[in-house]
Amino acid sequence: MASITYARIVTEPPTRPLAPAHTTTDAAAGVATSVLTWHGGRLYRQGAPHRILSGALHYFRVHPDLWRDRIRRLADLGLNTVDTYVPWNFHQPREDEAPLFDGWRDLEGFILTVGEEGLDVVVRPGPYICAEWSNGGLPSWLTGRDVAVRSSDPGFTSAVGHWFDVLVPRIAALQAAEGGPVVAVQVENEFGSFGDDHAYLRWNRQALTTRGIRELLFTADGPTELMLDGGTLPETLTAVTLGSEPATARRLLAARRPGEPFVVAEYWNGWFDHWGKRHHVRGVDSAVRTLRGIIADGGSVSVYMAHGGTNFGLWAGANEDDGRLQPVVTSYDSDAPIAEDGTLTDKFFAMREALGARGPLRSTPRMPTLPPVRVPLVHRADLLIGLRAVQAPTSTAPRPATFEQLGLDAGMVLHTAHPRIPAGEHRLTLTDVRDRALVFADGTLLGVADPASPELPLHGTGDVVRLEVLVENLGRVNYGPGIGRPKGLLGPVLVDRRIVQGWDSTPVALQDWSFAELSSAVTAGPPTTQAGPSTPHSGPSTTPAGFAVAELYVDTPADTFLALPGSSRGLVWVNGFLLGRYWEIGPQVTLYCPAPLLRAGENTVTVLELERLGAILELRDRPELGPPEEYIEEFG
């Protein structure tokens, strides 16, 4: 790849020769090669005192046409570096297909764009990334196996090694030593909050260096004895992740890692949101006060997030609280200084002052938006009719197939069985459903089942019924011991005490649907004669759920925010692109639709409503992320 020269922020040269500094070395030549080095508690860039002033910006959460705009906004904030994770499952969703690095997945293009804008790059390749991203970035085709993830289990390291064989040389070719902008690479990610397999950590570090990484290597963990015990390595810079009390973290690191510079690899100046909770925010004064504490006395920082972006499609992750799933919302705004739509917030200007940024802004305070409008939603097909219209291979077995057995990462599975139900009232129990299921008998909705409410009443007549269970994955766990937990009907389905056996399981890979498949669901065929209670219904909408369409005309594409008043829960596509999930329980009300997803002229918004469809689609000129709640992450 051609060498490119980048503009750099100038730092003062040292006034006297420096003692030997800690570097990444070229093992073959035995010489230091990393641009960033450290010595005596200070960080240096090619021998000159330096601070990393970084902001987290994830290429996979921003439309590629907007990468350069968002990078410039980070530069306007006063930052000299961009850091990004690399989600393995985003690049290689299927084991039998080679990883993709084009279009939205063009990691190298993103890194080069950052360099062209005069900024350094820190890459965090994982393979585990957390990031409130589905499965913490690990592919479900791997975690669905009997392997110990994030460990020295050969079943795990072998798969990671194959991935790194493809990924790491791409990063290595863009290192500063090769004329590129990459100045540092992270080893694993907050491993000390997960485990203590130091053989695995050493393997991860070696996997990077043997594949060409020569720039600064570092680990990142929470600032506690427990986490630092599990996640640090000798001769590898230790960074911390925190949201408060930087002085306490600084003292802890000085005691444990004397001589190392103070680096905060993630400063949580805001926080993410869960469905059914409030919108997390952090006051400007609090956020700036902590930032000043971090960068005092030469400290380095990465603002997480500087610009959060969006969990487009079905990539939002989930947490667990006492075994209860807490799915993450579609927006990843994170109350960042640069809002989800690129708006420069009050926090932006206060942080910019704290970071010492001077000079005029290159970025506009806000992107253009479409004028507000209300558009009718036309119900085109009932839920089950539309889903059945998209062909997919069906698995038949005594037990329902899990998502993993079907090779399905996200979306839904439609399970069908034909039990005979004796006359009278009965109890239908989904003993272990992950995560939420709509249950139908002969096409009629019985109700919604989830782990907290697994039972539904069922009336029998003595006949065979068509029992259909539509199971939805609400997001794979991205943090803690629940990473890799399977999805689907994991336990028996019971009619009273009797197990229902003989299931057809059909994957509904919503995230993979082509425009043609989405159109098939929306235009599902006319009614057919019903021969009996077990025959599926089809035809025009007769239920409050299903597929609907709104048509809108746009003169000049611009950002907009979609709202669905009166609708309950579902998914939205814009011109065939899966925007994300909406849910009336909030906090998020509007879905951000960036201008590049629209086109001049006619545009089609398709809605899959799972429970109760409203009559209107609203285009708004402002986001509504829900009632706020102050949140500051603290370590006990």
Side-chain angles (χ1 to χ4, degrees):
M1 189 168 294
S3 177
I4 298 177
T5 301
Y6 302 94
R8 299 293 185 192
I9 293 177
V10 178
T11 54
E12 292 298 322
T15 56
R16 58 184 175 82
L18 297 173
H22 288 267
T23 67
T24 301
T25 60
D26 184 327
V31 297
T33 57
S34 57
V35 166
L36 296 181
T37 60
W38 52 270
H39 171 73
R42 299 295 180 183
L43 190 68
Y44 298 89
R45 193 179 198 283
Q46 293 180 321
H50 183 70
R51 282 191 307 188
I52 298 171
L53 299 178
S54 181
L57 169 61
H58 298 157
Y59 62 96
F60 44 94
R61 284 182 160 126
V62 177
H63 193 286
D65 290 358
L66 298 174
W67 284 348
R68 191 177 298 275
D69 173 85
R70 301 310 196 249
I71 293 164
R72 287 182 175 177
R73 290 171 189 270
L74 262 71
D76 280 342
L77 182 56
L79 303 175
N80 59 23
T81 305
V82 171
D83 89 62
T84 186
Y85 282 123
V86 181
W88 183 2
N89 56 3
F90 184 65
H91 287 271
Q92 191 181 17
R94 295 176 183 80
E95 182 181 15
D96 59 352
E97 296 181 7
L100 300 173
F101 290 93
D102 59 353
W104 210 309
R105 296 167 172 83
D106 185 4
L107 171 64
E108 293 145 299
F110 175 78
I111 291 173
L112 287 170
T113 303
V114 175
E116 290 165 4
E117 293 299 321
L119 305 180
D120 288 336
V121 178
V122 173
V123 183
R124 309 170 76 187
Y128 164 77
I129 66 168
C130 185
E132 292 68 59
W133 187 259
S134 176
N135 221 32
L138 297 175
S140 58
W141 54 257
L142 173 60
T143 60
R145 300 174 187 167
D146 183 19
V147 297
V149 300
R150 304 182 71 190
S151 81
S152 51
D153 180 346
F156 183 71
T157 56
S158 174
V160 175
H162 289 309
W163 161 234
F164 275 11
D165 286 342
V166 179
L167 171 66
V168 176
R170 295 172 181 270
I171 300 170
L174 297 176
Q175 293 175 107
E178 304 295 336
V182 176
V183 297
V185 177
Q186 182 175 293
V187 178
E188 236 277 348
N189 183 54
E190 295 182 312
F191 184 71
S193 62
F194 179 82
D196 58 6
D197 187 343
H198 291 100
Y200 164 63
L201 268 188
R202 291 191 297 271
W203 177 91
N204 189 289
R205 188 187 196 283
Q206 185 176 23
L208 297 172
T209 58
T210 57
R211 290 167 174 81
I213 297 301
R214 293 183 286 165
E215 299 298 339
L216 179 71
L217 292 170
F218 67 98
T219 59
D221 289 283
T224 70
E225 299 279 6
L226 180 75
M227 295 179 183
L228 294 174
D229 283 346
T232 58
L233 286 171
E235 300 301 319
T236 302
L237 178 66
T238 295
V240 292
T241 59
L242 54 78
S244 60
E245 301 185 20
T248 302
R250 191 189 296 263
R251 287 192 297 271
L252 177 61
L253 282 183
R256 292 182 60 108
R257 310 286 293 203
E260 294 189 9
F262 183 55
V263 178
V264 176
E266 290 185 15
Y267 162 45
W268 306 315
N269 73 108
W271 204 246
F272 55 89
D273 295 337
H274 293 126
W275 287 114
K277 305 296 182 180
R278 297 176 77 87
H279 170 48
H280 291 135
V281 298
R282 181 168 183 178
V284 172
D285 290 344
S286 168
V288 171
R289 185 167 55 251
T290 300
L291 176 61
R292 290 185 185 276
I294 293 170
I295 62 176
D297 194 26
S300 291
V301 67
S302 181
V303 178
Y304 192 99
M305 297 292 296
H307 171 62
T310 307
N311 295 313
F312 291 113
L314 299 176
W315 289 111
N319 294 101
E320 287 184 320
D321 183 15
D322 291 331
R324 295 172 55 191
L325 192 77
Q326 296 181 312
V328 174
V329 303
T330 301
S331 171
Y332 201 61
D333 177 85
S334 303
D335 195 35
I338 303 166
E340 181 180 14
D341 64 333
T343 294
L344 307 182
T345 67
D346 291 343
K347 188 180 290 185
F348 172 94
F349 291 102
M351 283 189 167
R352 173 179 160 87
E353 181 181 358
L355 292 167
R358 300 290 184 267
L361 297 173
R362 291 190 296 169
S363 307
T364 59
R366 192 161 187 263
M367 302 289 282
T369 59
L370 296 178
V373 67
R374 290 164 61 89
V375 183
L377 264 181
V378 180
H379 196 171
R380 292 285 183 84
D382 283 344
L383 176 61
L384 295 180
I385 299 166
L387 295 179
R388 294 193 202 104
V390 179
Q391 298 298 310
T394 295
S395 170
T396 301
R399 294 184 298 184
T402 67
F403 277 60
E404 292 71 28
Q405 289 168 338
L406 294 169
L408 184 64
D409 177 65
M412 307 176 185
V413 176
L414 180 59
H415 302 281
T416 306
H418 299 85
R420 185 177 299 276
I421 309 298
E425 304 305 318
H426 301 276
R427 183 178 68 254
L428 183 72
T429 305
L430 280 60
T431 60
D432 190 2
V433 56
R434 304 298 173 94
D435 298 308
R436 187 176 173 96
L438 300 174
V439 183
F440 302 84
D442 291 334
T444 299
L445 179 66
L446 298 180
V448 179
D450 60 26
S453 303
E455 296 184 3
L456 295 169
L458 176 62
H459 177 76
T461 63
D463 292 328
V464 170
V465 302
R466 180 184 181 92
L467 180 64
E468 292 171 293
V469 182
L470 181 63
V471 179
E472 182 183 6
N473 170 2
L474 294 176
R476 291 184 180 271
V477 173
N478 57 258
Y479 180 83
I483 297 168
R485 210 180 294 284
K487 297 291 186 178
L489 286 179
L490 307 183
V493 175
L494 305 178
V495 175
D496 298 332
R497 68 179 65 189
R498 191 186 75 199
I499 296 175
V500 178
Q501 295 178 306
W503 290 90
D504 291 337
S505 300
T506 304
V508 184
L510 298 167
Q511 74 280 18
D512 296 332
W513 275 9
S514 65
F515 185 81
E517 288 171 318
L518 181 60
S519 298
S520 296
V522 171
T523 59
T528 58
T529 302
Q530 184 177 0
S534 64
T535 301
H537 297 272
S538 62
S541 57
T542 58
T543 71
F547 291 86
V549 169
E551 302 288 351
L552 54 118
Y553 185 89
V554 172
D555 289 323
T556 302
D559 287 355
T560 189
F561 303 88
L562 306 183
L564 292 146
S567 294
S568 175
R569 182 173 67 92
L571 304 171
V572 175
W573 287 259
V574 175
N575 293 326
F577 176 83
L578 181 52
L579 199 62
R581 179 179 280 115
Y582 67 90
W583 200 346
E584 65 180 352
I585 64 173
Q588 181 176 1
V589 175
T590 57
L591 292 176
Y592 171 55
C593 177
L597 294 179
L598 299 171
R599 52 182 175 243
E602 295 294 336
N603 293 263
T604 301
V605 177
T606 305
V607 175
L608 168 54
E609 168 58 49
L610 296 171
E611 297 183 28
R612 185 192 66 251
L613 181 69
I616 294 293
L617 170 72
E618 290 184 350
L619 277 65
R620 302 185 184 180
D621 60 0
R622 290 286 189 277
E624 184 178 348
L625 298 179
E629 176 182 72
E630 178 88 4
Y631 185 89
I632 301 174
E633 180 69 3
E634 298 178 348
F635 288 102

